[in-house]
Structure formats: C-alpha cells, structure tokens
Amino acid sequence: MKYQAIIFDLDGVICHTDRYHYLAWKQLADELGIYFDETINHRLRGVSRMESLEIVLERSDRTFTEEEKLLYAEKKNEVYKELLKQMSPKDLSEEVKQTLDELRAKGLKLGIGSSSKNARFILSRIGLEDYFDAVCDGNCISRSKPDPEVFVKAAAMLSTPAERCLVVEDAKAGVEAAVAGGMDCAAIGDARCCEQAAHGLTMFSDLLKVAAD
Ligand code: BG6
Ligand code: MG
C-alpha cells in the first residue's frame, strides 16, 4: 500500500460544524452591526479563529484594537462551544465510522490534523475521544493552514514520513497545507475543485479505494 497513515481534517470531513460556526459568528456580527452571511462563513473554512475574526471584521468601517479582537474571538467561542453541546454520537455518520474502522483494519494509522482548538471537545461529543492514533489541533500549532505545520506535526506524531501520509480535506487552505507538507491530499466536498488534490472523493467511503492502491 502506498499510504501508511491517513490524517483527517475534522470540521467538514469527520463531522459538520459549519452551521454552529455560522450561528456563533452571526451572533457576534449582529452585536457589532456588521454584515455577515453564509458566503462569508464559507471563507472561514480551515482558517484559524483569529484569522476568521479578521475576515468577519473586514465588513466593518472601523478598526479594532488587539484587546477587542481577543475579546470578540473569545465571545464567539463561548457561543460556539455552547452550540457544540448539541452534538452527540448521532452526528457521526455510519458511513464515516465504518470507513474509519475498515481503514484501521487494513493496518493504516489514523490521525487528526485540525485548525480547531475545540477538536478534542468535538471528538468527545461524537464519541471518538480515544479513537485516533494522534490528534494534532489548533493548540499544537503556531501557523494555521495553508501552512503545513498541522499536518507535518501530525505525521511526526504518527511516526510516518510525509510521502506515506494521505490527508483528507474539505477546504482549499487544507489541500494547500497538505501539498506544502509533501503529502498527497484526498479532497472531499468543495475542495474537490482544487487541482492540487491527488484524489477526489465523491463520498467518504471512496477512501477505501484510494487507500487500497
Ligand atoms: C477549522 C474550521 O477546523 O477550525 C474553521 O474549519 C475554524 O472554520 C477553525 O475557524 C478554528 O476553530 P476553533 O474551534 O479553534 O475556533
Ligand atoms: Mg475542514
């Protein structure tokens, strides 16, 4: 097999938190009188919390101090974490769980490479807290995707060279990060239009075909 390890992005790949991000950013934007919609929310995929805030604040005609920005990011996160409490193992699809189990049964190491600082909390909500061989998240890195740091560190945690790792991503920034780290990327959802992706997945279980090569 070409790949020894698979590193999964979390949000938009293993489970779907987009709606909760949207609602939490929308609440903050409304409080600040800033226009925010689903299209802007789409641009936040894969990028860090502080970079997301910068994108949200682009629509404002005033400038914000660093203290204000930290406060607003924290405020959004409190709302977001409250919303995440609605998640349960039901938010992990049967298809995703079964595919993960089959990949593991093939002897592949499985890891997470996520920009989110809430990754472990989300994994615990969906019943995967102890499932992965490595979890590299927003708390482990100082540079966000498209920088490859999160995937390079995840590969090191999995003791697997980059060329034997496959990254699964739903965001352009994530595909770019994987490629910059010397890894192949399987793109799912909107990221499928990224030319840099080595594989396109119509559905998550297509990974079984890709990983069998
Ligand atoms: C990524 C999401 O996984 O995590 C982004 O795709 C989000 O939309 C980023 O901004 C940071 O998340 P958190 O949970 O640390 O605020
Ligand atoms: Mg994602």
Side-chain angles (χ1 to χ4, degrees), residues 2-45:
K2 180 174 179 190
Y3 303 115
Q4 289 177 340
I6 306 192
I7 304 170
F8 298 89
D9 172 50
L10 178 63
D11 296 310
V13 171
I14 299 291
C15 61
H16 299 277
T17 50
D18 239 36
R19 185 77 201 145
Y20 302 131
H21 276 298
Y22 170 77
L23 291 171
W25 283 123
K26 177 77 179 145
Q27 184 168 323
L28 178 73
D30 284 351
E31 274 172 39
L32 297 174
I34 300 172
Y35 178 78
F36 183 73
D37 64 15
E38 299 272 5
T39 309
I40 301 171
N41 191 56
H42 201 74
R43 290 173 56 206
L44 313 182
R45 285 192 187 172

Side-chain angles (χ1 to χ4, degrees), residues 6-197:
I6 306 192
I7 304 170
F8 298 89
D9 172 50
L10 178 63
D11 296 310
V13 171
I14 299 291
C15 61
H16 299 277
T17 50
D18 239 36
R19 185 77 201 145
Y20 302 131
H21 276 298
Y22 170 77
L23 291 171
W25 283 123
K26 177 77 179 145
Q27 184 168 323
L28 178 73
D30 284 351
E31 274 172 39
L32 297 174
I34 300 172
Y35 178 78
F36 183 73
D37 64 15
E38 299 272 5
T39 309
I40 301 171
N41 191 56
H42 201 74
R43 290 173 56 206
L44 313 182
R45 285 192 187 172
V47 302
S48 72
R49 190 181 309 162
M50 291 311 288
E51 285 163 335
S52 296
L53 177 68
E54 295 290 350
I55 293 171
V56 173
L57 298 182
E58 272 174 14
R59 287 285 185 132
S60 172
D61 40 23
R62 57 163 286 215
T63 53
F64 297 87
T65 64
E66 282 314 304
E67 279 94 4
E68 282 175 313
K69 287 182 192 173
L70 286 171
L71 182 82
Y72 296 149
E74 184 54 33
K75 229 176 159 185
K76 178 266 172 178
N77 195 47
E78 286 309 312
V79 176
Y80 178 59
K81 280 198 302 191
E82 219 25 62
L83 292 166
L84 287 178
K85 288 183 184 162
Q86 296 171 36
M87 290 186 90
S88 76
K90 285 189 192 137
D91 290 290
L92 176 66
S93 78
E94 205 36 61
E95 184 206 2
V96 170
K97 182 66 172 70
Q98 202 173 325
T99 304
L100 290 173
D101 287 345
E102 286 184 40
L103 292 169
R104 168 152 291 157
K106 284 180 192 286
L108 285 149
K109 291 188 232 178
L110 307 179
I112 291 286
S114 167
S115 306
S116 173
K117 294 188 172 177
N118 294 299
R120 284 186 185 275
F121 181 60
I122 295 166
L123 288 170
S124 76
R125 294 306 306 168
I126 60 175
L128 290 182
E129 61 269 56
D130 298 318
Y131 189 86
F132 290 95
D133 302 303
V135 175
C136 188
D137 65 14
N139 300 296
C140 310
I141 53 170
S142 49
R143 295 178 305 279
S144 182
K145 300 170 188 175
D147 188 284
E149 186 180 12
V150 73
F151 294 131
V152 170
K153 285 200 171 156
M157 287 160 95
L158 294 165
S159 310
T160 306
E163 62 275 16
R164 305 299 299 275
C165 291
L166 175 68
V167 168
V168 187
E169 259 295 345
D170 74 312
K172 188 169 177 274
V175 177
E176 289 169 359
V179 172
M183 298 171 208
D184 276 1
C185 187
I188 195 162
D190 295 347
R192 268 184 306 164
C193 58
C194 291
E195 284 168 14
Q196 285 174 287

